[in-house]
């Protein structure tokens, strides 16, 4: 190998090292920007939830005056939507698989309770909820999503989650 080839190889290695550093910096910036957008989205959804509590309060008072099952169904549907929205915000904030499973549970429960599906659809919903419980109990990996792309611990993994124990879903 000539001296000229050796210099070329060393120069390329140095360029690759710089390229890797720049790529890592850009990845960290993209991850930070996407986290910021998630926070903005969470705030917007939270504002929407707060605004939508006003009509739910009105529906609650109409339950007394109308005394019908339709009014209760409407109220219950809006209440479920608020709960799913709250769980969605928690999922965006926590970045944990457990919070994603909770959103799925509430969404399936809402469609099962509020929907007027067939027996087959209800059976599929019940089986889906059962599968989610099985995943939570036997296949749930707490370390999944425990670190950010730059290697730092995820916000919800800084301290042990005492409130998310397996006994919650036992």
């Amino acid at each position: 190998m000539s001296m000229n080839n050796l210099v070329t190889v060393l120069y390329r290695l140095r360029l690759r090292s710089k390229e890797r550093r720049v790529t890592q910096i850009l990845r960290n910036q993209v991850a930070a920007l996407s986290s910021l957008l998630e926070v903005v989205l969470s705030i917007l959804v939270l504002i929407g939830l707060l605004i939508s509590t006003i009509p739910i309060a009105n529906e609650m008072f109409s339950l007394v005056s109308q005394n019908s099952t339709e009014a209760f169904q409407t109220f219950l549907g809006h209440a479920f939507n608020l709960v799913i929205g709250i769980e969605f915000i928690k999922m965006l904030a926590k970045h944990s698989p457990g919070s994603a499973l909770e959103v799925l549970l509430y969404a399936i429960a809402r469609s099962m309770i509020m929907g007027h599906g067939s027996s087959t659809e209800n059976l599929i919903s019940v089986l889906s909820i059962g599968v989610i419980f099985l995943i939570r109990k036997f296949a749930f990996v707490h370390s999944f999503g425990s670190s950010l792309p730059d290697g730092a611990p995820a916000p919800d993994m800084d301290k042990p989650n005492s409130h998310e124990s397996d006994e919650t879903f036992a």
Side-chain angles (χ1 to χ4, degrees):
M1 185 184 266
S2 70
M3 189 63 148
N4 196 16
N5 287 342
L6 182 61
V7 169
T8 304
V9 168
L10 290 175
Y11 179 72
R12 286 184 181 167
L13 285 174
R14 187 171 177 211
L15 279 177
R16 284 188 193 142
S17 174
K18 285 183 179 182
E19 179 185 351
R20 284 188 196 116
R21 271 188 269 139
V22 169
T23 302
Q24 187 61 39
I25 290 169
L26 289 175
R27 284 184 181 163
N28 290 342
Q29 294 300 318
V30 168
L33 182 61
S34 65
S35 293
L36 178 65
L37 289 175
E38 283 180 341
V39 169
V40 169
L41 178 64
S42 296
I43 291 170
L44 291 175
V45 172
L46 183 62
I47 291 169
L49 283 172
L50 291 173
I51 291 170
S52 65
T53 57
I54 297 167
I56 241 184
N58 291 336
E59 288 174 14
M60 188 183 225
F61 293 121
S62 71
L63 284 176
V64 175
S65 63
Q66 290 182 4
N67 201 12
S68 71
T69 57
E70 269 185 43
F72 180 70
Q73 284 284 359
T74 303
F75 172 75
L76 194 59
H78 287 115
F80 262 122
N81 287 338
L82 287 175
V83 169
I84 292 170
I86 291 167
E87 290 299 322
F88 178 70
I89 291 171
K90 288 179 6 184
M91 180 184 75
L92 288 175
K94 291 170 78 177
H95 286 273
S96 70
S99 58
L101 289 175
E102 288 175 17
V103 170
L104 288 173
L105 277 172
Y106 284 115
I108 293 169
R110 184 203 186 282
S111 70
M112 195 168 102
I113 293 171
M114 297 306 300
H116 300 289
S118 66
S119 299
T120 306
E121 290 172 347
N122 286 336
L123 177 64
I124 291 171
S125 295
V126 169
L127 291 175
S128 299
I129 290 174
V131 167
I132 290 173
F133 279 117
L134 288 173
I135 289 170
R136 179 77 172 139
K137 184 74 174 170
F138 297 110
F140 190 71
V141 179
H142 290 285
S143 63
F144 177 71
S146 63
S147 62
L148 299 175
D150 64 354
D156 63 330
M157 295 292 170
D158 288 342
K159 53 187 172 238
N161 291 335
S162 59
H163 68 283
E164 285 191 0
S165 66
D166 286 335
E167 293 140 17
T168 306
F169 288 96

